[in-house]
Amino acid sequence: QVQLVESGGGSVQAGGSLRLSCAASEYTYSIWCMTWFRRAPGKEREGVAAIRIDSGGTYYADHAKGRFTISQDNARNTLYLQMNSLKPEDTALYYCAADRNRYKCTSGSWNQERDYNYWGQGTQVTVSS
């Protein structure tokens, strides 16, 4: 059972930056895709960015392109999300998720929360104007 623990959330002013981390208890050979999701108050959870573990290929939601960067440190079993130029609408609980489906990242469904095998508890990001 892979456990995911997010950290790095906090409160910042608009235009500021944060770096989120997601520590995995292990990077097993069966994990192919890792993704950041977020859930804003009153809204459904939505995909932010994903990375394919073997190739490092990255995928972004339109709202994240140009501002957020997803990366991984395989040696430390850690996923990151660098968030720059933050906006109040980025305020949300941010989750990381991992999937054993080798095609999850590349099939176009990475931003759909169903079928992800493992989830963290989330870290809160609050952006004030």
Side-chain angles (χ1 to χ4, degrees):
Q1 182 77 4
V2 176
Q3 295 182 333
L4 304 174
V5 179
E6 302 95 336
S7 62
S11 297
V12 295
Q13 290 189 327
S17 299
L18 284 173
R19 188 176 81 155
L20 306 184
S21 299
C22 172
S25 56
E26 58 184 293
Y27 263 19
T28 73
Y29 68 92
S30 64
I31 297 297
W32 288 93
C33 183
M34 292 195 73
T35 300
W36 286 99
F37 285 87
R38 69 184 186 184
R39 177 178 283 155
K43 295 186 178 180
E44 294 186 352
R45 191 154 52 184
E46 63 176 355
V48 178
I51 189 166
R52 178 152 167 162
I53 299 301
D54 59 338
S55 67
T58 57
Y59 310 85
Y60 292 93
D62 287 343
H63 62 76
K65 289 178 181 177
R67 299 189 300 129
F68 295 180
T69 303
I70 190 170
S71 62
Q72 60 180 342
D73 182 339
N74 289 351
R76 298 186 177 187
N77 294 349
T78 303
L79 180 72
Y80 300 102
L81 184 69
Q82 177 67 44
M83 305 188 296
N84 299 326
S85 302
L86 283 162
K87 305 174 183 180
E89 51 263 45
D90 295 318
T91 294
L93 187 61
Y94 284 72
Y95 303 85
C96 66
D99 196 83
R100 297 196 300 262
N101 183 343
R102 66 185 299 165
Y103 302 112
K104 184 67 171 177
C105 271
T106 58
S107 67
S109 67
W110 66 266
N111 57 347
Q112 297 176 19
E113 62 178 316
R114 70 174 187 270
D115 299 329
Y116 273 88
N117 301 106
Y118 309 107
W119 288 89
Q121 294 300 306
T123 185
Q124 179 68 38
V125 171
T126 302
V127 185
S128 59
S129 58

